[in-house]
Amino acid sequence: MKNIQHIIKRTLVTFSFGLVFISCQSSLEDIYDNPNAVTTIDDAALFTKATRDLFIQTTGRSTYGFTGQYAHYFVAGSSERRPDQYGDNFDGDYNDFSEDMYGGVIRHIEEVLMITSTEGTKNDLRNAMANVIAVMGYTVITDAYGEIPYTEGGKGKTEGIINPKYDTQEYIYKDLIERLSESIAILKIANPAEGYPESDPIYDNDLNKWVRLANSVRLRLAMRIRYADNTLSKQVVSQCLEEPLMEDPSHDASLVQTEGNGNSWYFHRTKYPGIKVSEMMIDQLMSTADPRLPVFVSKDMNGNYSGQLNGLNDESFGISDFVSKSDIGVAISSKESKMYVMTATETWFLRAEAALAYDNDPTTANELFRKGIETSLIQWDVENLKITDFMSNSTTSLTGTNDQMEEQIGTQMWIAITPNYFESWSNIRRTGYPVIAERKATNLSRGVTNGIMPKRFLYSTIEMSTNGKNINEAISRQGPNKIDTPVWWDKN
């Protein structure tokens, strides 16, 4: 049955970024043919589906094996560790990721946006909520590839755009920020009854939390472009600080996956070939007596915490005793564990970096930095006494030069953002922290990047063959279709 479903999916999903799934239900076919029948589509169900897909796809197979290993959180076993060797022969995975994102999150949310902006079914609040999800979905895709179909993306069926153009990432980011600003203005004054009181899987239609989410994501995007467009970054950061932001774990955008195998990390922890926590992560947690160590890491078969070194070549991996190393922590990999796409702790760290970079205010930056660490400890249910003890540790205060303090912020962000590995990979690319050292040792694989952490996913051969003209134009602007070609905002 699973194989049949997979075949159906591959058949229905078109090979271009711009195309969307073709519904097998005759009623939907009639709707697509007759725009006047759009009221029969349940936009609430589509909104729920798009939102859940956002969480699932950003932690799914096409991302976990890449970003979690690129960012040195873990090492996968068997052939699943090939991305950890910095190879680029993953054409099917690159294509699956784009198909799943465009055919899932983007397809459904674009339909919601169409319905909620159409005369007769217009609903500004629902449209604003959908825009927040759309922004987060497009952000993941553009951060993976760089230039992508955006203004014409996901509109193959609704507008007949079969070969969509690729927009520059600079344009995409500026538009995403503007969409969030417009959504925040609507969310602040809207009547909750007009939202999704029965179909919001994140906040159960709490608009205050939606404002905080939208503004925190806007802060994330503003800091992402810090080195690419410093003026706009500083301007938007200032705007973000004037509106409510995420402050405690009750504001986190989290979700429990109730279908299938549950949390995707449960599957990766318990099924072959398995994953083992990175030596880099365990060393960091142990060196500072971090109470999150037993949260993020399970003890090995000898009752200790032992990490697997990232990047080993085949010979060295074969003698590394991979199977005996520590598994990923149960707290983040049980069936009921939460998935996260934005958290209060990330927001505090972004604010700390902004205070240091834009206000040259180390005192305020330190206060915000400490708040970020404390919020992370609370998020993961660390005991109060342990929180008090750890917060008295010198690790939890910024010291040294501005560069050293930025490294401290980046390192704590890396720890606290677990298990949103995709976002962490993006943050490391942007800031350079924590430092993922160039691989020079003889027991390590340098891959196609000459030992440097990969900077993007590749456009797949299927995309190249079906929309070659537009992709080649993107490549001519962005740079070679290689995994070490930086995206627009990756300037540091």
Side-chain angles (χ1 to χ4, degrees):
M1 182 62 181
K2 183 176 180 181
N3 290 335
I4 294 175
Q5 291 174 338
H6 181 70
I7 293 171
I8 293 174
K9 174 190 171 185
R10 298 286 295 195
T11 302
L12 296 180
V13 180
T14 62
F15 290 144
S16 171
F17 264 150
L19 292 178
V20 297
F21 283 82
I22 300 173
S23 174
C24 61
Q25 300 176 7
S26 60
S27 58
L28 286 183
E29 291 291 351
D30 292 339
I31 291 167
Y32 285 133
D33 292 338
N34 178 14
N36 295 325
V38 74
T39 56
T40 61
I41 298 180
D42 182 3
D43 66 289
L46 291 172
F47 176 81
T48 301
K49 176 63 174 171
T51 302
R52 286 193 169 277
D53 278 351
L54 176 65
F55 284 84
I56 294 169
Q57 297 306 332
T58 53
T59 61
R61 183 182 181 279
S62 294
T63 57
Y64 96 87
F66 293 86
T67 60
Q69 296 189 91
Y70 290 165
H72 283 50
Y73 284 103
F74 60 80
V75 179
S78 190
S79 61
E80 295 297 316
R81 71 182 178 87
R82 289 178 301 153
D84 184 52
Q85 296 179 307
Y86 294 170
D88 63 356
N89 55 333
F90 310 106
D91 193 59
D93 293 288
Y94 299 137
N95 189 70
D96 285 348
F97 177 64
S98 63
E99 280 190 353
D100 289 342
M101 286 298 297
Y102 275 98
V105 182
I106 301 306
R107 168 206 173 193
H108 296 304
I109 211 64
E110 285 288 350
E111 291 182 18
V112 174
L113 290 169
M114 179 185 68
I115 294 167
T116 55
S117 61
T118 299
E119 197 65 35
T121 55
K122 184 177 175 64
N123 184 311
D124 289 341
L125 174 55
R126 291 188 171 193
N127 189 266
M129 294 170 73
N131 261 302
V132 175
I133 298 300
V135 165
M136 297 181 77
Y138 278 117
T139 299
V140 170
I141 304 172
T142 188
D143 286 349
Y145 297 97
E147 297 196 12
I148 60 168
Y150 175 65
T151 53
E152 295 182 355
K155 296 179 174 64
K157 199 65 178 177
T158 56
E159 298 184 22
I161 301 175
I162 297 177
N163 294 308
K165 69 175 183 179
Y166 280 58
D167 297 286
T168 68
Q169 192 174 56
E170 179 179 9
Y171 172 82
I172 293 169
Y173 255 76
K174 290 178 178 179
D175 193 66
L176 293 175
I177 290 170
E178 182 61 28
R179 290 171 73 170
L180 288 172
S181 298
E182 293 172 354
S183 296
I184 291 167
I186 294 170
L187 288 163
K188 287 170 57 180
I189 62 173
N191 177 4
E194 297 177 359
Y196 290 110
E198 304 295 333
S199 304
D200 173 7
I202 308 178
Y203 295 130
D204 195 23
N205 209 48
D206 186 331
L207 298 192
N208 175 270
K209 291 181 179 179
W210 273 97
V211 170
R212 292 179 184 275
L213 170 63
N215 195 35
S216 296
V217 173
R218 182 170 62 161
L219 178 62
R220 174 195 278 173
L221 302 190
M223 292 305 293
R224 185 87 90 233
I225 65 174
R226 173 184 167 189
Y227 297 105
D229 191 335
N230 188 261
T231 300
L232 178 60
S233 173
K234 188 174 182 178
Q235 174 189 332
V236 177
V237 167
S238 178
Q239 295 170 355
C240 291
L241 297 178
E242 295 176 358
E243 302 289 355
L245 289 157
M246 290 177 162
E247 295 181 347
D248 63 68
S250 71
H251 301 149
D252 291 348
S254 63
L255 192 70
V256 175
Q257 170 64 347
T258 57
E259 301 172 357
N261 292 315
N263 182 293
S264 62
W265 298 110
Y266 169 76
F267 177 85
H268 299 315
R269 177 175 63 82
T270 61
K271 307 297 182 182
Y272 179 83
I275 55 179
K276 300 296 180 179
V277 180
S278 170
E279 180 179 287
M280 178 175 168
M281 170 62 85
I282 291 180
D283 286 351
Q284 172 64 37
L285 294 171
M286 292 186 69
S287 67
T288 58
D290 196 311
R292 289 167 293 186
L293 175 62
V295 176
F296 298 150
V297 187
S298 296
K299 289 185 176 180
D300 63 24
M301 59 181 60
N302 295 315
N304 301 313
Y305 295 105
S306 57
Q308 178 72 18
L309 183 64
N310 285 86
L312 290 175
N313 58 37
D314 290 340
E315 181 180 358
S316 298
F317 181 82
I319 60 175
S320 66
D321 196 19
F322 174 83
V323 70
S324 71
K325 303 297 174 60
S326 290
D327 291 322
I328 191 170
V330 175
I332 59 177
S333 61
S334 70
K335 285 186 176 181
E336 299 78 22
S337 294
K338 291 180 179 178
M339 299 179 288
Y340 295 90
V341 292
M342 187 78 206
T343 63
T345 188
E346 179 185 345
T347 307
W348 286 116
F349 288 129
L350 291 170
R351 292 176 65 177
E353 182 188 347
L356 194 63
Y358 292 146
D359 300 329
N360 193 27
D361 186 352
T363 300
T364 298
N366 184 56
E367 293 172 356
L368 297 167
F369 174 72
R370 286 177 56 80
K371 190 66 177 178
I373 296 174
E374 182 182 26
T375 303
S376 175
L377 298 172
I378 295 171
Q379 174 188 342
W380 295 107
D381 295 323
V382 174
E383 296 175 10
N384 290 336
L385 182 59
K386 292 182 178 180
I387 292 178
T388 301
D389 288 344
F390 187 62
M391 294 305 296
S392 66
N393 188 319
S394 60
T395 303
T396 63
S397 293
L398 295 176
T399 58
T401 65
N402 276 22
D403 285 345
Q404 289 171 328
M405 287 188 281
E406 290 214 13
E407 181 172 9
Q408 292 157 27
I409 293 171
T411 299
Q412 283 298 322
M413 172 89 83
W414 172 66
I415 296 169
I417 211 168
T418 305
N420 189 353
Y421 304 128
F422 187 97
E423 178 57 32
S424 186
W425 174 52
S426 294
N427 201 58
I428 294 172
R429 285 182 287 163
R430 177 181 73 82
T431 67
Y433 301 124
V435 175
I436 305 297
E438 178 184 349
R439 294 175 178 173
K440 297 181 178 180
T442 56
N443 65 331
L444 301 180
S445 173
R446 296 175 66 85
V448 300
T449 66
N450 202 28
I452 303 297
M453 184 187 74
K455 296 178 176 294
R456 62 182 289 270
F457 290 0
L458 299 186
Y459 300 129
S460 74
T461 55
I462 292 178
E463 299 161 37
M464 297 288 289
S465 65
T466 58
N467 196 15
K469 179 178 180 295
N470 287 317
I471 291 181
N472 284 326
E473 288 179 359
I475 292 172
S476 70
R477 294 187 297 261
Q478 179 169 271
N481 187 30
K482 297 181 178 180
I483 63 173
D484 56 357
T485 295
V487 297
W488 167 71
W489 48 253
D490 186 358
K491 303 292 187 184
N492 187 18

